[in-house]
Amino acid sequence: MTSKQEERKPIQEDDELEKGSEDEEDGGMHRILVEIVSALNVPRMDVKSESDPFVEVSMGGQVLHKTKHINDSVNPIWTLETGSLFLLEFAKDSVDLEQSAVFFVVKDYDGPGKKEDVLGAVAAPVKALLNGKGERETFPLDVPPDVLEYNKKKKRFVSKRSKLVLRCKPASIEEYHFIKTLDAKQHGIFANETFLPPRLSNVKSSEGTPQIAGWGAQILATQMGSDKTDSLLEQAFQPSQDWIEVGSGTHGRVYLEVLGCNDLPNLDSPTIGNLNNMTDAYCCLIMEDSIVNTTVIKDTLSPRWLPNDRRAFVFHVHHPSSQLYIGVFDHDKVTRVANAMKDRVHDPIGRVLVNLTHFRPGTLYTLHYHLYLVNNSAEKSRAEQAHNGTLTIRLRIEWGSGGDSIQQPCIKGNDTKNMLIEGMLPPHVEHLAVPNRHDFRVAHYTIVGKYDPQKFNLKTLTGYVEEIQTYVDEEVITMVAAAALTILLWRGHYEIRVFGKSVLVPFHSMAAFAWGVLVTQNYNRFLSFLLFCVAWFFLATNEYRRSHPSPWHRGKSFAELLGALLVGTICGCLGKCVPNVGNTTIEHNENLPAVQAYYDAVKARREQQAKQKEQAIEHAAQMEQEEMKQQMQIDSSAIEGVVNIATGPKDSFMGSMNPLKPILHPVQMILYQVCRYLRITKSIVTWEENYYPFWITLCSMLGALLFFFIPWGFILRWVVRIAVWVVLGPWMKLVDWMYFGKLENMTAEEKKQMLEDDLRNQYQETLARRMRSEEYKEDMVKLKSMLKYLFGKYLLEVPRFRESRFLDYPLPASTAEPVVDALSEADLNVVGQICGQTLTGPMIPTRMIQEHPLLTEEPEDTTSFLRVWGHSVHKSISSSQLKMEEDEPTKGEEKPLLPKTGKKKKKKWYGLFPRLRK
């Protein structure tokens, strides 16, 4: 044994690990996992600021643990970074559980070498800690009298309600291992398992590459919108050879292949060593709690990702309404100077937000999207923005309650019913952690865009104002006027087929006339009519969307989703009687002339509206000038020099507003929240998001049907009768004698006591609401700290709803074709897995990771694993049977993320890709 191996100390002995926190033998050890959660209403001891509290833990006169101090806070929250977790270990026979206690002393930090004031203390019985179950427990702080007297002299609010919040429970083997290997100064200890950085492509194309048969193997070179039909393009459309599983969801899978880009801008300049230096393109893909990057294609403006490149991913999805973000970047060399000086190391080219709710399972999509660099409110429409090329992807979705990995494909036909049920509620808040600063900037642009709404920008501020005005002027008024004319004039709008011919039927006018007759004859139908109006409105907006000439804008119809809910699958049987319902086949450039005519009409209408608005502004300015002439009686030549803010140059005026940033930045944040809610509302109302409006429509229709048969007039009549007899009857005198009379005859002390009781009840309700808010805040702060420690230092939030003003739709060159067979292991060669970042549970959360059976050394019948802090543990193995497989490395030696295995039959995969990370 070498000296280096002799110096290595095991993390824990095998016999101790087997015992864990359980009392399996006499003379064993008690191991208690303790979390110092937070403190409430800590007394203030600093003169000009609040306290800087920290907690010192001791037992039997020995200091066991000390947290870091929280600056300037009377309600501190300790996290993993500030030492909230520690392990309390002692032998069973060494401590009297009935009499012993652990002391938690809250002190005020005043600097190194200075005396630390004691703010309060808690004596927690050891037995209570040992019997804990990890739930949040509040202990009152015993505040010293001198602290109370000091705060009283300073006329500060001193409360006896100062509390310390703890969590405790017996430590499991995995938690013991986690605490023993914990180093709070590190970040991203599992970043290699949850983040896949970009890498340079080393795959060379060959002229004689044979075509590979399989799902989606189509050579559709003309769909790229280019005349380049070279071998690279043919190879790019062949099926991918290597796939990577991504995420930890269990409700469905999204199969995505990045095929290529066209007409990208050149963001690189020629150098002496490389005169042909051009854009080095790669894609960043984010969905829910997962982030991956493709390979980098160097020196080309039309990159093609070949079948051997890292381009194919299987995203395991938690929620059917989750969004897929794709960002295209120019890869540059990452240096310390560039990372510190440049805003972004990798220059953004464009981004795409893929709306998965419009796509149907059992269909293979080849999609082309325009890439737009800017996606903020300063631009009025997509037509006014210049795109930076196109992106081509191939996509397929499977929903169902099948297996957790590719080894167990989703059930045939796809369980769309469960997908709809899951879509009733919004997805959970997802946070994404990345290890490096430049990777954070890439992920931030992919999700948010070029302009950060949190940062002050005059262009963004004015863009929010224009966006709100656009909703009111262009969209709301135009739609309401068109809908009113359609109903009143009995214009046909819904197309049905009668004897092979298309007929437009005015269903809206028929429904309005029928309801008008019903309500005027029987007012009991009024509440039913109100609920029907909600459903009617959503059905009308769905019909309006379905009338779009482009099949990529139509989405799913209400009838299609209702059939999926009742039958369990989405099928095309409704398409025989209703056009464009359940149709999963979309041809190349389908209905292109009608689409172009539609966009030309929209462009002409917007130009006309802009011209009318301009004329109205000029007319208002002229009227204002005329009024000023009449009132001030001055020469018109003096008025001509006045610059009107609405029509004159704005740059100088806006530039002068920069010193008003402290005032305008809060206004910008308010406008951002308003625009954010308007965008979410618009996405629901216009059926951009399919599942929420479907459930609103269905519930409204069922409520209208139920209320239709309820005799509201009879119920209202008897409610009023009962109210009159109860409230206005002579027996109300008894109420006066028994209640109000006693109130008037109460003494001052009794009235004071009753008032105190009422105030106490109100206080308890307020305190309960505050405690719920504090618990939520604590959970979020601790979750973010844990995510940073586990997955990366830089954190950003993934939106739950569609918050982008402009939405991306596939171009007319995109295609869709139905497929029958579900994908299985034989179709895909899975070479790796990128785990999701979803954490569950308090104190030390658990990562639930779906592993591919071919990437592990477990038996073939193994279907699911629980990966807990570096161990791959089969669910049937008890915690007492788990053995340590690694010793703790010495200082300076690389710390292994996962234990090594002795078997060599199959290569064990732990999230490190030697093949993919070259």
Side-chain angles (χ1 to χ4, degrees):
M1 181 180 295
T2 62
S3 58
K4 186 174 182 178
Q5 291 176 338
E6 292 177 354
E7 294 175 358
R8 296 179 64 180
K9 298 180 180 180
I11 297 178
Q12 58 193 38
E13 299 297 334
D14 289 345
D15 57 347
E16 292 182 358
L17 187 61
E18 290 179 359
K19 295 173 186 176
S21 59
E22 302 174 357
D23 300 333
E24 297 178 351
E25 299 178 3
D26 294 336
M29 297 286 292
H30 283 304
R31 295 190 178 96
I32 305 174
L33 179 64
V34 182
E35 180 184 16
I36 304 173
V37 180
S38 63
L40 302 175
N41 303 319
V42 174
R44 295 175 55 183
M45 292 299 295
D46 294 339
V47 178
K48 297 182 180 180
S49 63
E50 298 178 346
S51 300
D52 306 319
F54 70 96
V55 180
E56 185 179 88
V57 185
S58 61
M59 180 180 177
Q62 181 182 1
V63 177
L64 304 177
H65 181 71
K66 183 184 294 186
T67 67
K68 295 182 180 180
H69 67 276
I70 307 298
N71 291 325
D72 198 16
S73 175
V74 294
N75 295 302
I77 299 175
W78 286 277
T79 63
L80 193 69
E81 297 174 332
T82 54
S84 62
L85 289 171
F86 72 96
L87 197 65
L88 179 61
E89 296 182 90
F90 55 89
K92 288 192 344 180
D93 300 336
S94 63
V95 175
D96 186 1
L97 299 180
E98 300 293 338
Q99 302 296 329
S100 301
V102 179
F103 294 91
F104 298 83
V105 183
V106 182
K107 297 183 178 181
D108 180 27
Y109 179 80
D110 292 326
K114 295 184 179 180
K115 183 179 178 181
E116 298 164 343
D117 300 318
V118 177
L119 304 178
V122 170
V126 176
K127 186 175 182 180
L129 298 180
L130 188 61
N131 295 332
K133 297 182 180 180
E135 298 179 354
R136 190 176 184 272
E137 298 183 10
T138 303
F139 296 86
L141 271 178
D142 186 10
V143 182
D146 57 337
V147 176
L148 295 174
E149 186 66 25
Y150 174 80
N151 282 267
K152 186 177 181 180
K153 289 181 180 180
K154 295 293 184 179
K155 297 182 179 180
R156 295 172 177 172
F157 177 74
V158 181
S159 174
K160 296 182 180 180
R161 299 184 304 276
S162 300
K163 299 175 182 178
L164 183 67
V165 182
L166 304 175
R167 293 180 188 267
C168 56
K169 68 173 183 177
S172 65
I173 299 172
E174 293 81 13
E175 293 167 343
Y176 176 81
H177 177 267
F178 179 84
I179 294 297
K180 285 300 182 181
T181 58
L182 175 64
D183 185 3
K185 296 181 180 179
Q186 292 186 355
H187 293 93
I189 62 173
F190 291 114
N192 288 333
E193 298 184 16
T194 59
F195 178 73
L196 191 61
R199 66 142 198 210
L200 296 178
S201 175
N202 55 3
V203 179
K204 302 296 183 180
S205 62
S206 60
E207 295 291 335
T209 302
Q211 180 177 346
I212 302 175
W215 69 279
Q218 302 180 16
I219 309 302
L220 302 177
T222 57
Q223 294 185 15
M224 299 293 294
S226 174
D227 294 333
K228 299 179 180 179
T229 57
D230 54 3
S231 61
L232 280 179
L233 185 58
E234 294 181 356
Q235 293 180 53
F237 273 89
Q238 293 177 0
S240 299
Q241 299 178 10
D242 298 330
W243 289 77
I244 299 175
E245 287 196 279
V246 184
S248 56
T250 58
H251 292 98
R253 293 192 290 269
V254 177
Y255 301 87
L256 178 68
E257 297 173 274
V258 181
L259 302 182
C261 294
N262 267 355
D263 303 326
L264 300 182
N266 187 11
L267 302 181
D268 292 338
S269 302
T271 60
I272 298 177
N274 186 7
L275 297 178
N276 296 324
N277 188 27
M278 290 187 291
T279 299
D280 306 324
Y282 77 96
C283 296
C284 174
L285 300 93
I286 297 176
M287 189 172 185
E288 292 183 342
D289 62 341
S290 309
I291 175 172
V292 291
N293 294 274
T294 66
T295 52
V296 180
I297 308 299
K298 293 182 66 64
D299 299 333
T300 178
L301 303 183
S302 295
R304 305 286 185 263
W305 282 270
L306 303 183
N308 287 340
D309 282 325
R310 186 207 295 162
R311 69 170 192 177
F313 306 94
V314 183
F315 288 92
H316 291 261
V317 182
H318 286 289
H319 196 276
S321 295
S322 299
Q323 305 170 87
L324 175 61
Y325 298 88
I326 303 178
V328 182
F329 297 86
D330 173 32
H331 186 274
D332 293 322
K333 186 177 181 180
V334 180
T335 61
R336 183 174 300 179
V337 176
N339 195 21
M341 300 296 294
K342 293 180 65 176
D343 185 30
R344 293 183 178 89
V345 177
H346 307 308
D347 298 321
I349 299 175
R351 59 190 291 267
V352 171
L353 174 59
V354 181
N355 184 6
L356 298 178
T357 62
H358 282 191
F359 300 136
R360 298 171 176 83
T363 306
L364 180 64
Y365 294 93
T366 304
L367 307 173
H368 307 280
Y369 288 94
H370 278 316
L371 293 172
Y372 293 96
L373 178 64
V374 180
N375 188 20
N376 73 324
S377 298
E379 305 291 343
K380 293 184 179 181
S381 65
R382 280 296 197 201
E384 299 179 7
Q385 303 181 39
H387 62 84
N388 284 347
T390 59
L391 170 70
T392 302
I393 62 175
R394 190 159 54 202
L395 182 141
R396 177 173 174 179
I397 300 176
E398 285 186 2
W399 297 108
S401 55
D404 297 332
S405 66
I406 306 262
Q407 180 76 7
Q408 298 170 308
C410 296
I411 60 177
K412 186 175 180 180
N414 291 283
D415 194 357
T416 315
K417 181 177 180 180
N418 287 338
M419 176 189 67
L420 285 172
I421 295 175
E422 289 293 333
M424 290 180 63
L425 300 177
H428 298 290
V429 177
E430 298 284 359
H431 291 87
L432 197 64
V434 291
N436 302 310
R437 184 178 179 184
H438 59 273
D439 295 324
F440 168 78
R441 290 166 175 165
V442 169
H444 185 272
Y445 173 80
T446 303
I447 293 178
V448 179
K450 185 176 181 180
Y451 294 101
D452 189 353
Q454 305 294 333
K455 295 182 179 180
F456 176 70
N457 189 307
L458 285 177
K459 190 176 182 180
T460 305
L461 175 62
T462 55
Y464 290 148
V465 177
E466 294 177 0
E467 180 181 354
I468 296 174
Q469 188 176 2
T470 301
Y471 287 134
V472 177
D473 293 346
E474 297 182 7
E475 301 188 9
V476 177
I477 296 179
T478 303
M479 290 182 63
V480 170
L485 290 176
T486 301
I487 294 174
L488 294 176
L489 303 180
W490 283 69
R491 292 178 177 176
H493 54 85
Y494 197 82
E495 181 182 1
I496 63 173
R497 294 176 184 175
V498 180
F499 301 109
K501 295 183 179 180
S502 298
V503 179
L504 295 178
V505 181
F507 278 133
H508 291 320
S509 302
M510 296 166 62
F513 178 72
W515 272 105
V517 173
L518 285 174
V519 172
T520 53
Q521 291 183 353
N522 189 348
Y523 289 103
N524 291 332
R525 310 288 187 258
F526 184 71
L527 291 179
S528 178
F529 172 69
L530 293 180
L531 287 175
F532 177 79
C533 285
V534 176
W536 189 13
F537 173 76
F538 278 96
L539 288 174
T541 56
N542 180 256
E543 180 205 342
Y544 179 77
R545 170 171 287 277
R546 297 285 301 173
S547 65
H548 198 286
S550 173
W552 301 107
H553 285 70
R554 294 171 188 162
K556 301 171 185 175
S557 67
F558 176 80
E560 183 179 357
L561 294 174
L562 182 61
L565 180 64
L566 298 178
V567 179
T569 59
I570 290 181
C571 58
C573 59
L574 295 174
K576 297 179 180 180
C577 58
V578 181
N580 302 324
V581 175
N583 185 18
T584 57
T585 301
I586 302 177
E587 300 293 338
H588 171 61
N589 287 334
E590 182 175 316
N591 207 16
L592 183 59
V595 173
Q596 293 177 346
Y598 175 84
Y599 284 124
D600 292 340
V602 171
K603 183 178 179 180
R605 187 181 74 245
R606 288 179 176 174
E607 290 178 353
Q608 183 179 3
Q609 290 176 349
K611 186 176 180 180
Q612 292 177 354
K613 185 177 179 181
E614 240 180 79
Q615 293 176 353
I617 292 175
E618 292 178 358
H619 179 70
Q622 293 177 0
M623 295 295 294
E624 185 179 357
Q625 289 182 2
E626 293 294 335
E627 186 177 354
M628 291 178 62
K629 287 180 181 180
Q630 295 177 2
Q631 291 180 357
M632 302 177 63
Q633 296 181 356
I634 58 176
D635 190 71
S636 60
S637 60
I639 299 297
E640 293 176 357
V642 179
V643 178
N644 188 278
I645 296 177
T647 58
K650 301 181 180 180
D651 294 339
S652 60
F653 175 72
M654 292 300 177
S656 64
M657 293 176 64
N658 287 332
L660 300 179
K661 177 182 177 181
I663 301 175
L664 294 179
H665 189 226
V667 176
Q668 175 183 327
M669 295 307 301
I670 294 174
L671 292 176
Y672 164 68
Q673 292 297 333
V674 172
C675 291
R676 177 172 170 266
Y677 288 118
L678 287 175
R679 294 169 186 175
I680 296 173
T681 304
K682 179 184 176 182
S683 68
I684 296 175
V685 169
T686 61
W687 290 74
E688 185 63 38
E689 158 59 53
N690 289 154
Y691 305 118
Y692 304 138
F694 167 76
W695 285 109
I696 294 174
T697 305
L698 182 61
C699 294
S700 300
M701 294 178 68
L702 294 177
L705 182 63
L706 176 64
F707 284 8
F708 186 85
F709 299 100
I710 296 178
W712 292 106
F714 176 80
I715 295 175
L716 181 61
R717 188 182 307 113
W718 275 100
V719 167
V720 174
R721 286 180 180 177
I722 294 173
V724 170
W725 279 87
V726 170
V727 178
L728 302 180
W731 39 80
M732 290 300 295
K733 186 61 179 178
L734 298 176
V735 178
D736 186 24
W737 289 342
M738 299 178 64
Y739 183 74
F740 290 99
K742 291 183 179 180
L743 291 179
E744 295 176 356
N745 297 327
M746 290 176 61
T747 62
E749 289 294 330
E750 292 175 341
K751 291 181 178 180
K752 181 179 178 181
Q753 183 64 33
M754 185 181 67
L755 180 61
E756 290 178 353
D757 293 340
D758 293 339
L759 294 177
R760 187 178 296 108
N761 294 333
Q762 295 178 11
Y763 171 74
Q764 292 296 334
E765 294 176 359
T766 305
L767 186 62
R769 289 194 297 268
R770 181 189 172 187
M771 292 303 297
R772 289 193 294 269
S773 176
E774 289 291 336
E775 290 180 16
Y776 177 77
K777 181 180 178 181
E778 292 170 2
D779 293 340
M780 294 305 298
V781 171
K782 291 179 177 295
L783 176 63
K784 292 179 180 180
S785 177
M786 184 66 72
L787 287 172
K788 290 181 179 180
Y789 174 71
L790 296 177
F791 308 126
K793 182 179 180 181
Y794 301 92
L795 200 67
L796 69 160
E797 182 176 343
V798 181
R800 304 165 64 191
F801 304 96
R802 283 164 181 78
E803 300 178 6
S804 298
R805 179 182 179 186
F806 303 113
L807 303 174
D808 299 296
Y809 298 98
L811 299 177
S814 305
T815 62
E817 58 177 342
V819 290
V820 179
D821 298 331
L823 296 178
S824 63
E825 177 192 343
D827 300 312
L828 306 180
N829 177 33
V830 179
V831 298
Q833 181 182 19
I834 290 296
C835 308
Q837 299 184 10
T838 299
L839 302 177
T840 58
M843 301 185 73
I844 301 180
T846 303
R847 292 194 302 154
M848 299 300 295
I849 302 173
Q850 310 299 336
E851 296 190 10
H852 194 277
L854 296 181
L855 302 178
T856 64
E857 294 183 0
E858 304 295 340
E860 294 182 358
D861 59 347
T862 299
T863 58
S864 184
F865 296 86
L866 175 63
R867 172 88 55 82
V868 186
W869 313 127
H871 294 277
S872 293
V873 185
H874 193 273
K875 285 186 177 179
S876 63
I877 300 178
S878 62
S879 60
S880 61
Q881 295 174 337
L882 184 63
K883 301 289 185 179
M884 286 297 298
E885 301 180 11
E886 278 278 353
D887 291 336
E888 187 177 8
T890 58
K891 185 176 181 180
E893 188 177 357
E894 184 180 0
K895 180 180 177 181
L897 294 180
L898 297 165
K900 295 181 179 178
T901 58
K903 300 180 181 179
K904 300 296 183 180
K905 295 181 180 180
K906 293 182 180 180
K907 185 175 180 180
K908 182 98 173 183
W909 179 84
Y910 285 124
L912 304 176
F913 301 111
R915 178 180 176 186
L916 298 176
R917 296 180 182 273
K918 290 180 181 180

